[in-house]
Amino acid sequence: MNRREHLAALLAMAAMVLPHRKLQALEAQMEEVIPEYGLIGQMLAQPGQRAALVAILSEATDAMPGNMGYLIGEDSANADAIWIVELWDTKASHAASLELPAVQAAINKARPLIAGFGTRAEFKPVAKARA
């Protein structure tokens, strides 16, 4: 279960036991959570292997404790490049995720499809826009 599904399950359970006003306060508090660590990076696939690389990298993203968001996007200007955006509760959670067996397996499976890496940046999220 990923973080979003976990939070949805918690809210569903809370809805059964909390008065409406307290449930609304809990939902608002959860909406205010801002991750402490972010990472964005470009990964270059071997020619023609972008879709396969995306599929492999998507496999291991469901059960990463502390992960608040993991997005893989196709680069519009380079048919072999992807961008990965990650949001984490802490930098330590990100580092710990790299040791998870599922993540290690995905890395090992993806390695032959990776041609290289482009720009990479770490950042501290400070605000989020309301939808």
Side-chain angles (χ1 to χ4, degrees):
M1 178 180 306
N2 66 30
R3 183 178 191 282
R4 186 176 304 267
E5 290 168 338
H6 181 72
L7 292 176
L10 286 174
L11 282 175
M13 185 184 315
M16 292 187 291
V17 297
L18 291 177
H20 183 69
R21 186 178 315 179
K22 287 189 177 184
L23 178 61
Q24 285 180 323
L26 177 60
E27 287 174 330
Q29 181 180 4
M30 291 172 75
E31 284 295 317
E32 294 302 317
V33 174
I34 296 176
E36 292 183 15
Y37 177 73
L39 179 66
I40 183 169
Q42 185 184 49
M43 187 178 290
L44 306 170
Q46 295 291 345
Q49 295 298 311
R50 179 166 75 178
L53 180 59
V54 168
I56 292 167
L57 295 178
S58 299
E59 292 173 3
T61 61
D62 286 344
M64 296 188 299
N67 180 260
M68 301 172 76
Y70 187 89
L71 175 68
I72 303 170
E74 295 179 341
D75 190 305
S76 298
N78 182 337
D80 294 317
I82 60 173
W83 289 92
I84 302 169
V85 180
E86 302 178 47
L87 298 173
W88 295 87
D89 60 352
T90 65
K91 187 174 183 174
S93 291
H94 173 259
S97 76
L98 298 174
E99 302 303 321
L100 294 171
V103 173
Q104 283 290 312
I107 290 169
N108 289 334
K109 190 174 178 182
R111 196 169 311 226
L113 302 181
I114 299 171
F117 298 90
T119 302
R120 180 183 190 275
E122 296 180 41
F123 61 95
K124 178 177 179 20
V126 294
K128 67 180 179 180
R130 295 268 181 226

